[in-house]
Amino acid sequence: MAFHRAVPNSVCHLGSLLETFLPWLGLVAVVLLVLALLRRSATALMALLLPVAAWAHLFGGLFLPGAEPGPHDLVVVQHNVSDENTDPAGTVRALADAAPDLIALEELVPPTLAVYAQTLAPNYPYHAVRGTVGLWSKHPLTGARLVDIKPQGITETWSRGLRTVVHTPHGDIVAYVAHLPSVRVRASGLASSQRDESAGLLGEAIAAEKLKTVLLLGDLNGTVDDRGLAPLTSRMNTAERGFAFSFPAGFPMARIDQVMARSATVRQIRTLSPTGSDHLPVTARITLG
């Protein structure tokens, strides 16, 4: 069991709070290492071996170069475009730099939704939108429907889940686009109950899928190390390479914009250029089969 799992989540969601910023603990080890070298303390150096080894085990592989692109690859982009984005056309240009097959967007609101649809249409003739989330594709889409991931505590209109079938040259896959509830760091700890409940509902929907290959793209308001997303991460593969911290855009501290896959491999994930959003876009390469 990883050392961070020893931190309980029953009190103020402290476990999830630690796991959100888990990669940054490597900097703590570096500072302690410098201090140990300055003090010439062999005891301190030996004591650092365990946390350094644990961090390297968890995150060292993310630094390795990714495999070369193959014939069964899809490129996908995930981006929370922000409902306050004043430059949707410029945002589309930034996303197009990755030449993706699929583009998943969240916080789609009128009138900018019409701008996204019009600007993306020439290269992405197929799209589906439900509520404030949408998917644009180079390949045909069928069976688009709303996925109910609304927590019980939310009473207003709230539609943030989409499911559709993508007919790729390599076979049919199911794509989900989701935007889970926000979390807040407060004096009482991490407020993530609604996010966790929504992740559970989404996990149940994915578990019930009959088609073998499933992609999930979305702003999940949590990192892949956060146990609150366990209903998803326990069922799906996450990126093999890359950190791709996506939020906040001004000084990214964590990747809460995720690309996950079932019966497929997320080879590498990286960020794209900033847009008019408070999130950075992320792009990932998916190997099918």
Side-chain angles (χ1 to χ4, degrees), residues 122-158:
N123 295 315
Y124 298 89
Y126 310 100
H127 79 277
V129 175
R130 294 296 183 275
T132 58
V133 300
L135 183 71
W136 275 259
S137 173
K138 291 183 176 180
H139 312 298
L141 305 177
T142 59
R145 61 174 173 81
L146 177 71
V147 180
D148 186 6
I149 57 172
K150 180 179 176 180
Q152 292 184 352
I154 296 178
T155 57
E156 65 267 21
T157 301
W158 197 92

CSV table of all heavy atoms in Angstrom, one decimal, residues 122-158:
chain,number,residue,atom,x,y,z
A,122,PRO,N,-15.6,22.8,-39.8
A,122,PRO,CA,-14.9,22.4,-41.0
A,122,PRO,C,-14.0,21.1,-40.8
A,122,PRO,O,-13.9,20.3,-41.7
A,122,PRO,CB,-14.0,23.6,-41.4
A,122,PRO,CG,-14.8,24.8,-40.7
A,122,PRO,CD,-15.3,24.2,-39.5
A,123,ASN,N,-13.3,21.0,-39.7
A,123,ASN,CA,-12.4,19.9,-39.5
A,123,ASN,C,-13.0,18.8,-38.6
A,123,ASN,O,-12.5,17.7,-38.5
A,123,ASN,CB,-11.1,20.4,-38.8
A,123,ASN,CG,-10.3,21.3,-39.8
A,123,ASN,OD1,-10.2,21.0,-41.0
A,123,ASN,ND2,-9.8,22.4,-39.3
A,124,TYR,N,-14.1,19.2,-37.9
A,124,TYR,CA,-14.8,18.2,-37.0
A,124,TYR,C,-16.3,18.2,-37.3
A,124,TYR,O,-17.0,18.8,-36.6
A,124,TYR,CB,-14.5,18.6,-35.5
A,124,TYR,CG,-13.0,18.5,-35.2
A,124,TYR,CD1,-12.2,19.6,-35.4
A,124,TYR,CD2,-12.4,17.3,-34.8
A,124,TYR,CE1,-10.8,19.5,-35.2
A,124,TYR,CE2,-11.0,17.2,-34.6
A,124,TYR,CZ,-10.2,18.3,-34.8
A,124,TYR,OH,-8.9,18.3,-34.6
A,125,PRO,N,-16.7,17.5,-38.3
A,125,PRO,CA,-18.1,17.6,-38.8
A,125,PRO,C,-19.1,16.9,-37.9
A,125,PRO,O,-20.3,17.1,-38.1
A,125,PRO,CB,-18.0,16.9,-40.2
A,125,PRO,CG,-16.8,16.0,-40.1
A,125,PRO,CD,-15.8,16.6,-39.2
A,126,TYR,N,-18.6,16.1,-36.9
A,126,TYR,CA,-19.5,15.4,-36.0
A,126,TYR,C,-19.3,15.9,-34.6
A,126,TYR,O,-18.2,16.0,-34.1
A,126,TYR,CB,-19.2,13.9,-36.1
A,126,TYR,CG,-19.1,13.3,-37.5
A,126,TYR,CD1,-17.8,13.1,-38.1
A,126,TYR,CD2,-20.2,13.0,-38.2
A,126,TYR,CE1,-17.7,12.6,-39.4
A,126,TYR,CE2,-20.1,12.5,-39.5
A,126,TYR,CZ,-18.9,12.3,-40.1
A,126,TYR,OH,-18.8,11.8,-41.4
A,127,HIS,N,-20.5,16.2,-34.0
A,127,HIS,CA,-20.4,16.6,-32.6
A,127,HIS,C,-21.7,16.3,-31.9
A,127,HIS,O,-22.7,16.1,-32.5
A,127,HIS,CB,-20.0,18.1,-32.5
A,127,HIS,CG,-21.2,19.0,-32.7
A,127,HIS,ND1,-21.7,19.4,-34.0
A,127,HIS,CD2,-22.0,19.7,-31.9
A,127,HIS,CE1,-22.7,20.2,-33.9
A,127,HIS,NE2,-22.9,20.4,-32.6
A,128,ALA,N,-21.5,16.3,-30.6
A,128,ALA,CA,-22.7,16.0,-29.7
A,128,ALA,C,-22.5,16.9,-28.4
A,128,ALA,O,-21.4,17.0,-27.9
A,128,ALA,CB,-22.8,14.5,-29.3
A,129,VAL,N,-23.5,17.5,-28.0
A,129,VAL,CA,-23.5,18.4,-26.8
A,129,VAL,C,-24.7,18.0,-25.9
A,129,VAL,O,-25.8,17.9,-26.4
A,129,VAL,CB,-23.6,19.9,-27.2
A,129,VAL,CG1,-23.7,20.8,-25.9
A,129,VAL,CG2,-22.4,20.3,-28.0
A,130,ARG,N,-24.5,17.9,-24.7
A,130,ARG,CA,-25.5,17.7,-23.7
A,130,ARG,C,-25.2,18.6,-22.5
A,130,ARG,O,-24.2,18.4,-21.9
A,130,ARG,CB,-25.6,16.2,-23.2
A,130,ARG,CG,-26.0,15.2,-24.3
A,130,ARG,CD,-27.4,15.5,-24.8
A,130,ARG,NE,-27.9,14.5,-25.8
A,130,ARG,CZ,-27.7,14.6,-27.1
A,130,ARG,NH1,-27.0,15.6,-27.6
A,130,ARG,NH2,-28.1,13.7,-27.9
A,131,GLY,N,-26.1,19.5,-22.2
A,131,GLY,CA,-25.9,20.4,-21.1
A,131,GLY,C,-24.7,21.3,-21.5
A,131,GLY,O,-24.6,21.9,-22.5
A,132,THR,N,-23.7,21.3,-20.6
A,132,THR,CA,-22.5,22.1,-20.7
A,132,THR,C,-21.3,21.4,-21.2
A,132,THR,O,-20.2,21.9,-21.1
A,132,THR,CB,-22.2,22.9,-19.4
A,132,THR,OG1,-22.0,21.9,-18.4
A,132,THR,CG2,-23.4,23.8,-19.0
A,133,VAL,N,-21.5,20.1,-21.6
A,133,VAL,CA,-20.3,19.3,-22.1
A,133,VAL,C,-20.5,18.9,-23.5
A,133,VAL,O,-21.7,18.7,-23.9
A,133,VAL,CB,-20.0,18.1,-21.2
A,133,VAL,CG1,-19.7,18.6,-19.8
A,133,VAL,CG2,-21.2,17.1,-21.2
A,134,GLY,N,-19.5,18.8,-24.3
A,134,GLY,CA,-19.6,18.4,-25.7
A,134,GLY,C,-18.4,17.6,-26.2
A,134,GLY,O,-17.3,17.7,-25.6
A,135,LEU,N,-18.6,16.9,-27.3
A,135,LEU,CA,-17.5,16.2,-28.0
A,135,LEU,C,-17.6,16.5,-29.5
A,135,LEU,O,-18.6,16.4,-30.1
A,135,LEU,CB,-17.6,14.7,-27.7
A,135,LEU,CG,-16.5,13.8,-28.4
A,135,LEU,CD1,-15.2,14.0,-27.6
A,135,LEU,CD2,-16.9,12.3,-28.4
A,136,TRP,N,-16.4,16.9,-30.0
A,136,TRP,CA,-16.3,17.1,-31.5
A,136,TRP,C,-15.3,16.0,-32.0
A,136,TRP,O,-14.3,15.7,-31.4
A,136,TRP,CB,-15.7,18.5,-31.8
A,136,TRP,CG,-16.7,19.5,-31.8
A,136,TRP,CD1,-17.3,20.1,-32.9
A,136,TRP,CD2,-17.4,20.2,-30.7
A,136,TRP,NE1,-18.2,21.1,-32.5
A,136,TRP,CE2,-18.3,21.1,-31.2
A,136,TRP,CE3,-17.3,20.0,-29.3
A,136,TRP,CZ2,-19.1,21.9,-30.4
A,136,TRP,CZ3,-18.1,20.8,-28.5
A,136,TRP,CH2,-19.0,21.7,-29.0
A,137,SER,N,-15.7,15.5,-33.2
A,137,SER,CA,-15.0,14.3,-33.7
A,137,SER,C,-14.8,14.4,-35.2
A,137,SER,O,-15.6,14.9,-36.0
A,137,SER,CB,-15.8,13.1,-33.4
A,137,SER,OG,-15.2,11.9,-34.0
A,138,LYS,N,-13.6,13.8,-35.7
A,138,LYS,CA,-13.4,13.6,-37.1
A,138,LYS,C,-14.1,12.4,-37.6
A,138,LYS,O,-14.3,12.2,-38.8
A,138,LYS,CB,-11.9,13.5,-37.4
A,138,LYS,CG,-11.1,14.7,-37.2
A,138,LYS,CD,-9.6,14.5,-37.6
A,138,LYS,CE,-8.9,15.8,-37.5
A,138,LYS,NZ,-7.4,15.6,-37.8
A,139,HIS,N,-14.6,11.5,-36.7
A,139,HIS,CA,-15.2,10.3,-37.0
A,139,HIS,C,-16.7,10.3,-36.6
A,139,HIS,O,-17.1,11.0,-35.7
A,139,HIS,CB,-14.5,9.1,-36.3
A,139,HIS,CG,-13.1,9.2,-36.4
A,139,HIS,ND1,-12.4,9.1,-37.6
A,139,HIS,CD2,-12.1,9.3,-35.5
A,139,HIS,CE1,-11.1,9.1,-37.4
A,139,HIS,NE2,-10.9,9.3,-36.1
A,140,PRO,N,-17.6,9.6,-37.3
A,140,PRO,CA,-19.0,9.7,-37.0
A,140,PRO,C,-19.3,9.3,-35.5
A,140,PRO,O,-18.7,8.4,-34.9
A,140,PRO,CB,-19.6,8.6,-38.0
A,140,PRO,CG,-18.6,8.5,-39.1
A,140,PRO,CD,-17.3,8.7,-38.5
A,141,LEU,N,-20.4,10.0,-35.0
A,141,LEU,CA,-20.9,9.7,-33.7
A,141,LEU,C,-22.3,9.2,-33.8
A,141,LEU,O,-23.1,9.7,-34.6
A,141,LEU,CB,-20.8,11.0,-32.8
A,141,LEU,CG,-19.5,11.7,-32.7
A,141,LEU,CD1,-19.6,13.0,-31.9
A,141,LEU,CD2,-18.4,10.8,-32.0
A,142,THR,N,-22.7,8.3,-32.9
A,142,THR,CA,-24.1,7.9,-32.8
A,142,THR,C,-24.4,7.6,-31.4
A,142,THR,O,-23.6,7.4,-30.5
A,142,THR,CB,-24.3,6.6,-33.6
A,142,THR,OG1,-23.5,5.5,-33.1
A,142,THR,CG2,-24.1,6.8,-35.1
A,143,GLY,N,-25.8,7.6,-31.1
A,143,GLY,CA,-26.3,7.2,-29.8
A,143,GLY,C,-25.9,8.2,-28.7
A,143,GLY,O,-25.8,7.8,-27.5
A,144,ALA,N,-25.7,9.5,-29.0
A,144,ALA,CA,-25.4,10.4,-28.0
A,144,ALA,C,-26.5,10.6,-27.0
A,144,ALA,O,-27.7,10.7,-27.4
A,144,ALA,CB,-25.0,11.8,-28.6
A,145,ARG,N,-26.2,10.6,-25.7
A,145,ARG,CA,-27.2,10.8,-24.7
A,145,ARG,C,-26.6,11.4,-23.4
A,145,ARG,O,-25.4,11.3,-23.2
A,145,ARG,CB,-27.9,9.4,-24.3
A,145,ARG,CG,-26.9,8.4,-23.8
A,145,ARG,CD,-27.7,7.2,-23.3
A,145,ARG,NE,-26.9,6.0,-22.9
A,145,ARG,CZ,-26.3,5.9,-21.7
A,145,ARG,NH1,-26.5,6.9,-20.8
A,145,ARG,NH2,-25.5,4.9,-21.4
A,146,LEU,N,-27.5,11.9,-22.6
A,146,LEU,CA,-27.1,12.5,-21.3
A,146,LEU,C,-26.7,11.4,-20.3
A,146,LEU,O,-27.4,10.4,-20.3
A,146,LEU,CB,-28.2,13.4,-20.8
A,146,LEU,CG,-28.0,14.0,-19.4
A,146,LEU,CD1,-26.9,15.1,-19.5
A,146,LEU,CD2,-29.3,14.6,-18.9
A,147,VAL,N,-25.7,11.6,-19.5
A,147,VAL,CA,-25.4,10.7,-18.4
A,147,VAL,C,-25.6,11.4,-17.1
A,147,VAL,O,-25.1,12.5,-16.9
A,147,VAL,CB,-23.9,10.2,-18.5
A,147,VAL,CG1,-23.6,9.3,-17.3
A,147,VAL,CG2,-23.6,9.5,-19.8
A,148,ASP,N,-26.5,10.9,-16.3
A,148,ASP,CA,-26.9,11.5,-15.1
A,148,ASP,C,-25.8,11.3,-14.0
A,148,ASP,O,-25.7,10.2,-13.4
A,148,ASP,CB,-28.2,11.0,-14.6
A,148,ASP,CG,-28.8,11.8,-13.4
A,148,ASP,OD1,-28.1,12.8,-13.0
A,148,ASP,OD2,-29.8,11.4,-12.8
A,149,ILE,N,-25.0,12.3,-13.7
A,149,ILE,CA,-24.0,12.2,-12.7
A,149,ILE,C,-24.2,13.3,-11.6
A,149,ILE,O,-23.3,13.7,-10.9
A,149,ILE,CB,-22.6,12.3,-13.3
A,149,ILE,CG1,-22.4,13.6,-14.1
A,149,ILE,CG2,-22.3,11.1,-14.1
A,149,ILE,CD1,-21.0,13.9,-14.5
A,150,LYS,N,-25.5,13.8,-11.6
A,150,LYS,CA,-25.8,14.9,-10.7
A,150,LYS,C,-25.9,14.4,-9.2
A,150,LYS,O,-26.7,13.6,-8.9
A,150,LYS,CB,-27.1,15.5,-11.1
A,150,LYS,CG,-27.6,16.7,-10.3
A,150,LYS,CD,-28.9,17.2,-10.9
A,150,LYS,CE,-29.5,18.4,-10.1
A,150,LYS,NZ,-30.7,18.9,-10.6
A,151,PRO,N,-25.1,15.0,-8.3
A,151,PRO,CA,-25.3,14.6,-6.9
A,151,PRO,C,-26.6,15.1,-6.3
A,151,PRO,O,-27.2,16.0,-6.8
A,151,PRO,CB,-24.1,15.4,-6.2
A,151,PRO,CG,-23.2,15.7,-7.3
A,151,PRO,CD,-24.0,15.9,-8.5
A,152,GLN,N,-27.0,14.4,-5.3
A,152,GLN,CA,-28.4,14.7,-4.7
A,152,GLN,C,-28.4,16.1,-4.1
A,152,GLN,O,-29.5,16.7,-4.1
A,152,GLN,CB,-28.7,13.6,-3.6
A,152,GLN,CG,-28.9,12.2,-4.2
A,152,GLN,CD,-29.3,11.3,-3.1
A,152,GLN,OE1,-29.3,11.6,-1.9
A,152,GLN,NE2,-29.7,10.1,-3.5
A,153,GLY,N,-27.3,16.6,-3.6
A,153,GLY,CA,-27.4,17.9,-3.0
A,153,GLY,C,-27.5,19.1,-3.9
A,153,GLY,O,-27.7,20.2,-3.5
A,154,ILE,N,-27.4,18.8,-5.2
A,154,ILE,CA,-27.6,19.9,-6.2
A,154,ILE,C,-29.0,19.9,-6.7
A,154,ILE,O,-29.5,18.9,-7.3
A,154,ILE,CB,-26.6,19.7,-7.4
A,154,ILE,CG1,-25.1,19.8,-6.9
A,154,ILE,CG2,-26.8,20.8,-8.5
A,154,ILE,CD1,-24.1,19.6,-7.9
A,155,THR,N,-29.7,21.1,-6.5
A,155,THR,CA,-31.1,21.1,-6.9
A,155,THR,C,-31.4,21.8,-8.2
A,155,THR,O,-32.4,21.6,-8.8
A,155,THR,CB,-31.9,21.8,-5.7
A,155,THR,OG1,-31.3,23.1,-5.5
A,155,THR,CG2,-31.8,21.0,-4.4
A,156,GLU,N,-30.4,22.7,-8.6
A,156,GLU,CA,-30.7,23.5,-9.8
A,156,GLU,C,-30.4,22.6,-11.1
A,156,GLU,O,-29.9,21.5,-11.0
A,156,GLU,CB,-29.8,24.7,-9.9
A,156,GLU,CG,-28.3,24.4,-10.0
A,156,GLU,CD,-27.6,24.4,-8.6
A,156,GLU,OE1,-28.3,24.2,-7.6
A,156,GLU,OE2,-26.4,24.5,-8.6
A,157,THR,N,-30.8,23.1,-12.2
A,157,THR,CA,-30.5,22.4,-13.5
A,157,THR,C,-29.0,22.2,-13.6
A,157,THR,O,-28.2,23.1,-13.5
A,157,THR,CB,-31.0,23.3,-14.7
A,157,THR,OG1,-32.4,23.5,-14.5
A,157,THR,CG2,-30.8,22.5,-16.0
A,158,TRP,N,-28.7,20.9,-14.0
A,158,TRP,CA,-27.2,20.6,-13.9
A,158,TRP,C,-27.0,19.4,-14.8
A,158,TRP,O,-27.4,18.3,-14.5
A,158,TRP,CB,-26.8,20.2,-12.5
A,158,TRP,CG,-25.4,20.2,-12.1
A,158,TRP,CD1,-24.6,21.2,-11.7
A,158,TRP,CD2,-24.5,19.1,-12.2
A,158,TRP,NE1,-23.4,20.8,-11.4
A,158,TRP,CE2,-23.3,19.5,-11.7
A,158,TRP,CE3,-24.7,17.7,-12.5
A,158,TRP,CZ2,-22.2,18.6,-11.6
A,158,TRP,CZ3,-23.6,16.9,-12.4
A,158,TRP,CH2,-22.4,17.3,-12.0
